[in-house]
Amino acid sequence: MKAIIAATVLGVILMFAGLFVKEKKSVASLAVFLLFVLLGVNIWDLVTTAPNETLSFFNNMLRVDRYALWFNTLMTGCTLLYALLVSKEIQRVGSHVAEYFALICFILCGVYMLSTYNNVLILFIGIEILSIPQYILAGSDKRNLKSSEASLKYFLMGAFSTGILLMGITLLYGATGTFNIIQYTFLQSDMLSPMALAGILFLMVAFAFKVSAAPMHMWTPDVYDGAPTPFTAFMATIVKASAFVAFMRLFSVSFGAISSDWMMVLAIITAATLFVGNITAVFQQSVKRMLAYSSIAQAGFMLFAVLAVNATAWQGMMIYAVAYSVATIGMFAVLMKMKDYTYDGFNGLAKKDPMLAAFTTVFLLSLAGIPLTGGFMAKYFVLLAAVEQGKMMWLVIFALFMAAVSAYYYFRVIMAMYFKQGNAELNTEVSATDRFLLAITVLLVIVLGAAPNLILNI
Amino acid sequence: MTNLVYLVPLFPLIGFLINGLGWRKIPKAAGGIIGSVAILASFAVSLGIFFEVKSTGASTVVHLFDFIQSGTLYIPFSFQVDALSSLFLLIITGIGFLIHVYSTSYMHEDEGMVKYFAYLNLFVFSMLLLVLGANYLIMFIGWEGVGLCSYLLIGFWFKNRDYTNAAKKAFVMNRIGDLGFLVGMLLILFNYGTLSYQEFFGQLNGGQVQLSANMYNWIAICLFIGAMGKSAQIPLYTWLPDAMAGPTPVSALIHAATMVTAGIYMIARSSALYNLAPAALNLVAIIGLATAILAASIAIRQYDIKKVLAYSTVSQLGFMFLALGVGAYTTAVFHVMTHAFFKALLFLGSGSVIHAMGGEQDIRKMGGLNKHMKITGITFLIGCLAISGIPGFSGFFSKDEILASVYAHSPVMYYMALGAALMTAFYMFRLYFLTFTGSFRGTEEQHHHLHESPAAITIPLIVLAILSVVGGYVGLPPVISEHHTLNTYLGSVLSNFNVHHLEHSTEWILMGLSTGLVIAMIIVARVATKNPKFAENTGLAKVLENKWYVDELYDAVIVRPLGVLADVLDRFAEKMGVDGVVNGTGRLVRWSSDRVRLLQTGQVGFYIFVMVIGIAVIFALRFFGLNY
């Protein structure tokens, strides 16, 4: 609760700071400092709440539990890591640096609402708070036509999906007479009205859009590819993870008891997502666009956590959110150093900058889910959740095949770096600070892989 | 002191890490010192542990950390400190240390000396792990480590193709045995849910889990197959003679202190199991006896000084298994100990000879070396006397004990074992006389080069010679003394099974018989080598020289058919089947990727159209059919 207020206030402070502080670098430093404060507020929230305590705010419209607090803290931490790693690139996007950081703060406010909502109206508001700054960020490189195109596409399709979300909420209200997600638990399979079912399906479709699940994924490659790379990194990680937590909160808490009514449909969506994301990524020539498809593929795995509806699934979602975010942020941070975003741009990087190549390798191994990295543990836990639930074995096996396919496109980068001849050119000098931060990111990836209990035993 | 037991394997591990990581940088002398000091430190701790165990007689399990914990499977990383393991600790670190000291001189001209010491330390470390483990899994880790190190050291001069082949052979033979061990281990785990000695033997003796007698036999036989590989018994013995390819001190280490005694240790450790498996125990005795005879017969006609010693090791190991097989566990351990002394002595002595001869190993080209290398000659003679079982030397006591136990078990087996023992006396003294007496048969250049080895070589020889003499007095035969020190010491862990005691008069007769015949054999050897002529062997002698053609047999029956099978599989199953499937899958993925990516048209209208179609399909699926 304190965090929501803090995120809003800090965002406003940053916007005002933009008026008075002209130096881009100072604005960025201020933003990083404020994110530190925000992380502090989150930790304060976390430690002042007893482990089993659940707090309610605004007439029970927000319900704050331990899981949500921990998730918020971790995501804020990831945002801080992100800001530290890419603040230089953010400064290079355009002149409104203060606004960019302010928008990121507002997005975080949306993240906090999505992890704590107890009312579908708050869900709606949260999703909008999360989405609207993204439309702006996607188009923030105004001189670049692709960026503007991405922004417009995202906005148009986002508006469409918002309509679907509202439709779902409305139908559900019509069927139950309530917005409270706890009261939806009274829905029962044998007397489920078509109206309630339609509402649930519409909500599922709207969420599928936000997490870029097939066939609602079509915006993702274009937007992620067109948006300025630093903001792609943010959208593909923290934003996506919190949309997933919102998805899971509604479908596990409210509709968990009637999971048999929507599970098969979601399983098909999952299969389609895994297929489209992984298969399409194979043929890409640009690493940035490959990462866009990879984010679809990874969404396919996270959908398992929503599908499984059990305790392991919650753990899996947590570790997936963090492991995927950290590795992807690291990968994007490296990508931004490169002059050429195609695979060929990475040719011979291992000779030119062995350290950077080694870091990149760790990030890619984690994304591919190789043991000893966080990505492996993440995939392990979500698939374990699905296996424990037991109805989805065919899907788990399919996912494993698709994970094998994913190794193809991730390892292509490693092959380019180590086995291809070439002269990989760097955009900017990689400073000692950058190396230090990347090393910490690598360390996080490995620690997550070696000791996942650090973030699971909350 | 017992709590410090982790130090015993830790020191060699540290030595290995230092030398192994820095072998390009560390100077040779420093590498040798690091390696030797590490083992000396282990030896010091082992001594402390030995005397503590001796005074308290306690068996302790020292828990270090949890190793595997998964479901109901719980395997801690813990060490078993008791009479049996502490005795082995002393043998391994004590003799290991002497071999390290010897190596500092023997290997000082070799470029890879520091690497060599790293391997040597790792070898000792693995063996210590094998002996100390408090469950079969830890033993297995050491077991595999020993196999790996023997591979590395046998093939230490890897530029010689024959040597790398010998290393490969050792590794493969060992792996075959390891599979047996692994199966046995899994059978134990499957039936008893534990691999810990304490729990497993407790359940065996307590009888909570009753298995059919067959099951006991199968488990015991599987474990014994592992022992066959590691301790070079029929049919897996052929690697040990080839293992001579490694540097001579390595042979001493493999044959005396580590590796080959692992199998004996394992069966002695599992004696509670073998007591319930009479068929397996019989098999152990028969295999041991057959190996003892076969290897001894081959040794008679070998000309390579190290080959003779290698076959004698195989033969002596056969004796140990024979002792185990008749239930005389402590006797086998006794022979392990005395054998460790005199076999290390003989190998190091042969190394000294080879050193002096400038790398020559063929005894047909030696002779009369006594005049040039007094210390080596005398110590070698002591070794020969000990291994042949001349009264007063250590080998006599342990071998006599084995023979007495065998006689009590079955007189027929006794006579066969006695035959092997007599062959031992013959080939050892044939070796001694051909090498050290008579006149020199090598080249003039070699003759000039002959010299006694430096102190780093002779001192270990002298120490081992002393041990080879006095080492037997811890186990005096019952006719001389009622007090058997070693049996008393081991009594808390091992007790002999089904061993009948002989009448004193019978024992005197057996002792007299074997001693008299051994002395006779020595005289025969002396006569046979008086004027050595090395004509082409014919008949049985030729068969013996060619080791009964066992290698050729294995090659024809196993290696070549396997090669043909592999070739066929490679050509058809691999190239057509597996490659086809794998490459086909890859092509399919790329092909579909090329198609699917075309969906991404860039048109917002099309995207929204797809979404609407998607929603329609989802609703249709849900409302008209698909459901859980």
Side-chain angles (χ1 to χ4, degrees), chain B residues 25-349:
Chain B
K25 302 263 166 65
I26 295 173
K28 284 184 195 171
I33 290 170
I34 292 169
S36 308
V37 167
I39 307 295
L40 183 64
S42 286
F43 179 62
V45 180
S46 304
L47 264 183
I49 291 171
F50 176 80
F51 284 112
E52 187 175 304
V53 173
K54 192 171 184 321
S55 62
T56 61
S59 287
T60 341
V61 174
V62 182
H63 178 90
L64 295 181
F65 54 88
D66 289 347
F67 185 42
I68 296 178
Q69 202 166 6
S70 166
T72 56
L73 176 66
Y74 172 62
I75 299 175
F77 201 99
S78 47
F79 285 161
Q80 177 100 25
V81 183
D82 58 17
L84 185 61
S85 59
S86 63
L87 181 68
F88 269 84
L89 287 190
L90 277 193
I91 298 175
I92 295 163
T93 55
I95 295 185
F97 171 64
L98 292 175
I99 292 169
H100 275 70
V101 172
Y102 180 96
S103 297
T104 56
S105 166
Y106 193 85
M107 296 297 286
H108 75 278
E109 279 168 12
D110 199 283
E111 269 173 46
M113 176 167 164
V114 180
K115 191 168 63 172
Y116 168 86
F117 271 98
Y119 291 162
L120 225 51
N121 274 188
L122 185 64
F123 204 157
V124 173
F125 165 74
S126 309
M127 190 67 195
L128 291 171
L129 212 56
L130 189 159
V131 166
L132 277 173
N135 56 57
Y136 284 104
L137 193 71
I138 309 292
M139 186 197 261
F140 191 69
I141 296 172
W143 192 270
E144 293 296 316
V146 168
L148 170 71
C149 293
S150 67
Y151 169 79
L152 292 172
L153 284 166
I154 294 167
F156 185 72
W157 290 313
F158 53 84
K159 285 177 185 154
N160 183 326
R161 183 154 283 271
D162 285 347
Y163 292 2
T164 52
N165 281 343
K168 265 190 281 182
K169 188 173 181 181
F171 197 71
V172 171
M173 285 281 185
N174 269 292
R175 295 296 308 168
I176 296 172
D178 293 348
L179 182 66
F181 188 4
L182 199 61
V183 172
M185 210 160 79
L186 292 175
L187 281 177
I188 294 173
L189 193 62
F190 180 74
N191 284 312
Y192 292 90
T194 178
L195 287 176
S196 134
Y197 302 144
Q198 223 172 24
E199 291 170 26
F200 174 47
F201 300 148
Q203 290 189 31
L204 277 180
N205 296 331
Q208 287 102 324
V209 184
Q210 285 288 346
L211 300 177
S212 63
N214 265 339
M215 194 39 120
Y216 294 129
N217 280 323
W218 279 120
I219 296 175
I221 287 172
C222 283
L223 293 183
F224 178 50
I225 290 173
M228 278 179 191
K230 198 104 323 189
S231 296
Q233 294 299 293
I234 293 175
L236 300 178
Y237 71 96
T238 54
W239 67 270
L240 190 60
D242 285 18
M244 295 298 104
T248 308
V250 173
S251 311
L253 195 62
I254 290 180
H255 288 243
T258 59
M259 185 104 180
V260 295
T261 55
I264 317 282
Y265 171 78
M266 185 238 268
I267 291 184
R269 178 57 86 194
S270 320
S271 58
L273 169 69
Y274 280 84
N275 289 345
L276 294 171
L281 213 51
N282 262 333
L283 183 73
V284 173
I286 291 165
I287 294 273
L289 182 59
T291 310
I293 296 170
L294 182 88
S297 72
I298 295 174
I300 290 175
R301 278 289 163 202
Q302 295 303 309
Y303 294 113
D304 184 324
I305 183 168
K306 284 170 77 182
K307 279 263 155 83
V308 177
L309 293 176
Y311 279 104
S312 97
T313 304
V314 177
S315 171
Q316 297 299 313
L317 288 167
F319 275 107
M320 295 175 208
F321 278 102
L322 178 59
L324 293 172
V326 299
Y329 302 115
T330 58
T331 312
V333 174
F334 185 22
H335 200 55
V336 165
M337 188 183 93
T338 58
H339 176 256
F341 297 148
F342 56 70
K343 191 46 68 65
L345 168 62
L346 289 169
F347 261 113
L348 296 184

Side-chain angles (χ1 to χ4, degrees), chain A residues 340-389:
Chain A
D340 182 359
Y341 282 0
T342 62
Y343 280 100
D344 291 340
F346 280 82
N347 283 354
L349 182 65
K351 286 219 179 66
K352 181 153 187 165
D353 193 335
M355 198 186 202
L356 199 60
F359 289 160
T360 315
T361 307
V362 175
F363 299 140
L364 289 166
L365 290 179
S366 179
L367 287 173
I370 304 297
L372 274 184
T373 62
F376 168 74
M377 278 301 163
K379 282 200 172 63
Y380 171 77
F381 272 97
V382 292
L383 293 181
L384 177 70
V387 170
E388 279 178 1
Q389 186 240 30

Side-chain angles (χ1 to χ4, degrees), chain B residues 444-455:
Chain B
E444 202 47 37
E445 198 186 333
Q446 282 171 329
H447 200 193
H448 271 292
H449 183 252
L450 287 179
H451 59 85
E452 182 57 282
S453 301

